[in-house]
């Protein structure tokens, strides 16, 4: 059961329909409820109901959200990667290498913030890369990062 402000979403397997109907009935005895049927989206997260052979399943995605991020930062023609960042790459500050740092990092912070929501909601595969890059967005010398050789 997901609760957000005044919205409740109940997610259940097909064989738990009876129990879910009972929970819904009990809630409707105490609260005014509008049943909008199966959810297709919740907080920007797309919910896909799928059938697998004899069973059913649910998958979550954020394709529309990620497409919006790519367009916002003019990266819609970029190519994807199966592993966004090698965990053995050591990042360091540009200042530590004697390189010029950027004075305005707000664009990088906005990208990091947008990707953080995707990483937390449906893309755990990019969590390491996003966290590694975002750790440099709060200090004054975020200029640009370079991979140590």
């Amino acid at each position: 059961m997901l609760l957000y402000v005044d919205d409740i979403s109940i997610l259940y397997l097909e064989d738990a329909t009876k129990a879910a109907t009972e929970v819904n009935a009990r809630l409707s005895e105490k609260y005014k409820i509008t049943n909008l049927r199966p959810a297709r989206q919740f907080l920007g997260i797309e919910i896909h109901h799928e059938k697998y052979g004899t069973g059913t399943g649910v998958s979550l995605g954020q394709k529309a959200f990620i497409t919006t991020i790519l367009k916002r930062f003019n990266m819609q023609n970029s190519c994807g990667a199966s592993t966004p960042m090698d965990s053995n790459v050591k990042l360091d500050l540009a200042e530590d290498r004697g390189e010029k740092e950027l004075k305005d990092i707000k664009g990088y912070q906005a990208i990091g913030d947008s990707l953080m929501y995707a990483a937390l909601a449906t893309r755990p595969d990019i969590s390491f890369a996003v966290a590694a890059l975002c750790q440099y967005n709060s200090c004054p010398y975020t200029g640009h990062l370079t991979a140590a050789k």
Side-chain angles (χ1 to χ4, degrees):
M1 185 178 301
L2 299 170
L3 175 62
Y4 180 76
V5 186
D6 60 353
D7 291 331
I8 296 176
S9 291
I10 302 173
L11 180 64
Y12 54 91
L13 298 173
E14 193 171 345
D15 56 344
T17 301
K18 184 179 178 184
T21 303
E22 186 177 320
V23 167
N24 203 7
R26 287 192 181 186
L27 287 170
S28 65
E29 289 172 5
K30 188 164 183 164
Y31 304 102
K32 181 182 175 188
I33 291 179
T34 303
N35 188 347
L36 300 175
R37 301 292 165 214
R40 290 190 172 93
Q41 189 178 55
F42 187 78
L43 297 176
I45 300 170
E46 300 153 9
I47 303 167
H48 306 280
H49 303 272
E50 301 162 354
K51 294 203 179 284
Y52 300 104
T54 59
T56 60
V58 173
S59 64
L60 304 176
Q62 290 181 290
K63 184 176 181 177
F65 177 69
I66 292 170
T67 300
T68 301
I69 293 171
L70 292 172
K71 286 180 183 174
R72 178 178 172 198
F73 297 106
N74 198 26
M75 297 177 69
Q76 61 271 27
N77 295 323
S78 61
C79 297
S82 60
T83 305
M85 182 177 172
D86 182 350
S87 59
N88 295 318
V89 171
K90 182 186 177 303
L91 298 175
D92 58 15
L93 297 172
E95 177 194 60
D96 295 342
R97 296 177 152 277
E99 297 178 15
K100 180 180 171 186
E101 75 264 2
L102 297 175
K103 298 297 179 200
D104 185 11
I105 62 162
K106 290 184 171 104
Y108 290 101
Q109 290 172 330
I111 292 170
D113 291 348
S114 297
L115 290 173
M116 188 62 72
Y117 181 66
L120 293 172
T122 61
R123 295 295 308 270
D125 58 319
I126 66 171
S127 294
F128 175 79
V130 172
L133 295 172
C134 286
Q135 73 180 345
Y136 293 93
N137 282 346
S138 60
C139 66
Y141 300 107
T142 55
H144 67 273
L145 302 174
T146 57
K149 295 178 180 165

